[in-house]
Amino acid sequence: MTASSAREGARTAAEVADAIWEGVEAERLKPGDRIGAERELSARYDVSLPEYVRARGLEAGATVLGTATITADERLAELMEVPERTWVLQVDRLRLAGGLPLSFETIWLRAEQFPGLLDRSLVGSMYELLETEYGLERGEAVETISARQVDRAHLASLQVHAGAPILAVSRVARTSAGDVFEYSEEIYRADRTEMIVRAPAGARTERRYLGAEAQAG
């Protein structure tokens, strides 16, 4: 973005939109290019993320809030079944529906498996991109769904009040060969989400209850 845009301190949606588009034109950005992480944009334009999202006029899809290449800590390494300090790609996205926030998701992928991924457009289907560009053959994926109250860190991005209910979904996805290629965490607004789970006959479902051991259904 240009230095003049950064100094505007725009507060209204119209002003923010103008400032953003000036930066897009100045840097000749293409659809899908990243324009900055949430904190960076909030500081640059002196607005909260919801105002920034509305200013862009987004109606559907996703917007990339940030990307990074990191080393897996103990927890992430265990979830992805890799050694600690393995290089991992991290993608933070805000998914939208009808121009309003639907979910906040963080995706982790094995860096060595998807070289150059962070240089591509990441606003569409991640799986379609991985299958088309990297020849990914997906296998089993296990999702854990839970209900809880939103945490303070996601109040602004999801445009909800403190204590609002959310659906949290964590997913471990494997290749057809059985190797973990992705771990993700998604937080959905409960007032805008209905989840439908389809399972083949005979499939085993596990339900975990707070204060109780896992039970099979």
Side-chain angles (χ1 to χ4, degrees), residues 85-101:
R85 302 195 64 76
T86 295
W87 289 107
V88 173
L89 306 177
Q90 178 176 322
V91 179
D92 295 319
R93 303 196 301 181
L94 182 69
R95 300 191 68 84
L96 304 147
L100 296 174

Side-chain angles (χ1 to χ4, degrees), residues 6 40 125 146 154 173-174 180:
E40 183 183 36
S125 168
S146 60
H154 295 98
R174 299 178 182 272
V180 176

Side-chain angles (χ1 to χ4, degrees), residues 3-112:
S4 61
S5 295
R7 290 194 296 268
E8 286 182 5
R11 293 180 182 276
T12 69
E15 290 172 335
V16 174
D18 290 341
I20 290 176
W21 281 115
E22 284 180 11
V24 168
E25 293 174 353
E27 298 187 9
R28 299 180 179 178
L29 299 180
K30 301 182 295 297
D33 287 347
R34 296 182 294 277
I35 62 174
E38 176 180 351
R39 290 183 180 180
E40 183 183 36
L41 291 167
S42 296
R44 182 179 299 162
Y45 299 110
D46 192 24
V47 294
S48 66
L49 182 59
E51 291 171 314
Y52 147 68
V53 172
R54 288 196 299 270
R56 290 191 66 194
L58 296 172
E59 295 299 329
T63 184
V64 178
L65 301 180
T67 62
T69 302
I70 63 172
T71 56
D73 58 16
E74 181 179 1
R75 175 178 176 272
L76 188 57
E78 182 178 357
L79 289 165
M80 299 190 69
E81 300 180 0
V82 296
E84 283 188 54
R85 302 195 64 76
T86 295
W87 289 107
V88 173
L89 306 177
Q90 178 176 322
V91 179
D92 295 319
R93 303 196 301 181
L94 182 69
R95 300 191 68 84
L96 304 147
L100 296 174
L102 175 65
S103 69
F104 183 101
E105 65 178 4
T106 301
I107 303 168
W108 292 273
L109 300 157
R110 293 191 182 189
E112 64 176 11

Side-chain angles (χ1 to χ4, degrees), residues 171-216:
R171 177 173 59 251
V172 176
R174 299 178 182 272
T175 65
S176 58
D179 300 317
V180 176
F181 71 88
E182 175 207 39
Y183 173 68
S184 65
E185 295 179 348
E186 301 172 87
I187 300 173
Y188 290 85
R189 284 181 51 153
D191 62 335
R192 307 193 70 218
T193 306
E194 180 180 67
M195 294 188 175
I196 300 173
V197 180
R198 300 181 186 276
R204 185 170 181 269
T205 301
E206 291 186 358
R207 296 181 177 86
R208 291 198 298 268
Y209 300 92
L210 296 177
E213 296 181 355
Q215 299 183 22

